[in-house]
Amino acid sequence: PIVDYGFGDEEEEEEETFELKPFGYDVFANAPQTFAPDLDIAIPADYVIGSGDILTVSVFGKESSQYESLVQRDGSISIPDMGVFKVAGLSFGEAKAFLKSKIQEKVLGVEVVVTLSELRSIRVYVLGEAFKPGPYVLSSLSSVTHALFAAGGLSDIGSLRHIEVKRGGKLVTSFDAYDLLIRGDSSKDIILKSNDVIFISPVGKTVSIDGEVRRPAIYEIKDGENYKELLQMAGGMLPSAYPANTPVERFNENNLRTIITLDLSNSAVLRQPLRAGDNIKISKTSDNYEQSVTLI
């Protein structure tokens, strides 16, 4: 006979463990695809007109007419009964003002509206530690992040903080995706040009932070970054955090792992530089109450 003592009815409480993941990689992770921005968005005034763009010129007056013209390889467009105008190299705002003035010189008393009806395509190269490196055909309004999406994001060893944009063999800008993902700064997410190369370097130094922070993860760090900046990356500490006694695992000079204790409530300690491989665990404050009585 099988005797059931009822032990199976009691569920053992197991502490859930979560594996820390590198920060930011999931944002760009998707199947590689050709990225084409929605043409319903407003075209920025500083967009540079080039071969392959299609302009629509509408003339309103006693008689209204509309012309759609492709920018030819020589940079010019042809408008019937108006002439040939060179617009390549002009910004969209400059092209609108230029065409308006030229047409109003030829036809008095008319209003001219210039729009971009179709954008040209450009070919860029996403190389280095991309999920799927290679050439991609994108819209001429595409930026660095659009190219990263098109390539399916980064590989497991790609760097989010060292992404170079090269044009004609020269460095145009260095894009740090943390500026965008953590600080909302898109100033380095520049509009690309044909034949630009986006080169993703291998990941650099990393540290991990876990425990009582809002965004525990593995973060890539640059030289000189300190504990205060790491806590900002992690979204700050939770109200339940006890930073005065924070254990940090790190490699010493003999490449052996050691544990040190830091007081991260001290501003001088917060300014100390991080070391590659640091593993920070923000402790939780005690659950005990001050001046309490327990009645059982």
Side-chain angles (χ1 to χ4, degrees):
I2 300 176
V3 180
D4 186 1
Y5 291 99
F7 296 126
D9 295 334
E10 298 179 4
E11 295 183 0
E12 295 183 1
E13 294 184 1
E14 295 183 359
E15 184 180 352
E16 294 185 5
T17 57
F18 299 94
E19 182 182 355
L20 287 181
K21 295 182 179 180
F23 170 76
Y25 285 73
D26 55 341
V27 176
F28 300 101
N30 67 308
Q33 58 184 339
T34 299
F35 185 89
D38 188 354
L39 285 178
D40 291 337
I41 65 173
I43 305 298
D46 58 353
Y47 172 78
V48 179
I49 303 296
S51 173
D53 286 330
I54 297 180
L55 294 174
T56 298
V57 181
S58 302
V59 181
F60 303 97
K62 292 182 179 180
E63 294 183 3
S64 299
S65 54
Q66 183 172 295
Y67 309 98
E68 195 173 76
S69 183
L70 172 70
V71 180
Q72 304 296 326
R73 290 188 176 182
D74 63 355
S76 64
I77 62 171
S78 176
I79 303 177
D81 303 324
M82 301 290 178
V84 177
F85 307 98
K86 190 164 185 178
V87 293
L90 298 178
S91 68
F92 181 49
E94 291 170 341
K96 289 196 294 185
F98 170 70
L99 291 173
K100 183 176 181 178
S101 65
K102 289 296 183 182
I103 293 173
Q104 288 178 338
E105 286 177 4
K106 295 179 178 293
V107 184
L108 299 177
V110 296
E111 185 62 34
V112 180
V113 177
V114 180
T115 58
L116 257 175
S117 57
E118 190 172 326
L119 299 174
R120 67 186 183 275
S121 297
I122 60 173
R123 180 185 294 271
V124 300
Y125 299 88
V126 185
L127 303 176
E129 301 304 329
F131 177 75
K132 190 175 181 182
Y136 290 89
V137 176
L138 307 175
S139 160
S140 53
L141 270 182
S142 299
S143 66
V144 179
T145 51
H146 296 151
L148 295 178
F149 280 118
L154 288 72
S155 71
D156 293 339
I157 61 168
S159 170
L160 280 171
R161 308 205 65 184
H162 297 89
I163 302 173
E164 296 180 334
V165 180
K166 297 183 178 182
R167 186 172 297 157
K170 296 181 179 179
L171 179 65
V172 176
T173 188
S174 184
F175 177 64
D176 183 348
Y178 277 24
D179 289 337
L180 178 64
L181 299 176
I182 297 176
R183 305 175 186 92
D185 180 7
S186 62
S187 59
K188 295 292 183 70
D189 188 21
I190 63 172
I191 299 297
L192 300 172
K193 293 185 178 180
S194 191
N195 293 319
D196 277 358
V197 175
I198 297 92
F199 184 79
I200 304 169
S201 303
V203 67
K205 301 175 182 178
T206 60
V207 299
S208 59
I209 183 168
D210 198 2
E212 300 303 298
V213 291
R214 291 184 171 85
R215 195 162 48 218
I218 300 171
Y219 292 91
E220 185 178 357
I221 59 170
K222 291 183 175 180
D223 291 338
E225 287 186 326
N226 55 36
Y227 288 95
K228 181 179 180 180
E229 291 168 310
L230 177 63
L231 288 172
Q232 291 172 347
M233 294 179 195
M237 289 184 284
L238 296 172
S240 56
Y242 182 66
N245 189 21
T246 301
V248 178
E249 295 183 23
R250 68 169 37 156
F251 291 104
N252 62 15
E253 291 77 8
N254 299 321
N255 227 21
L256 298 175
R257 208 170 241 314
T258 59
I259 298 179
I260 62 173
T261 302
L262 297 178
D263 180 4
L264 293 186
S265 62
N266 187 316
S267 58
V269 176
L270 287 172
R271 291 194 296 269
Q272 291 183 12
L274 296 159
R275 290 190 188 180
D278 276 0
N279 183 6
I280 300 100
K281 175 81 172 182
I282 305 296
S283 304
K284 188 175 184 179
T285 189
S286 173
D287 290 330
N288 294 333
Y289 290 91
E290 186 179 5
Q291 297 183 356
S292 64
V293 175
T294 303
L295 176 63
I296 300 176

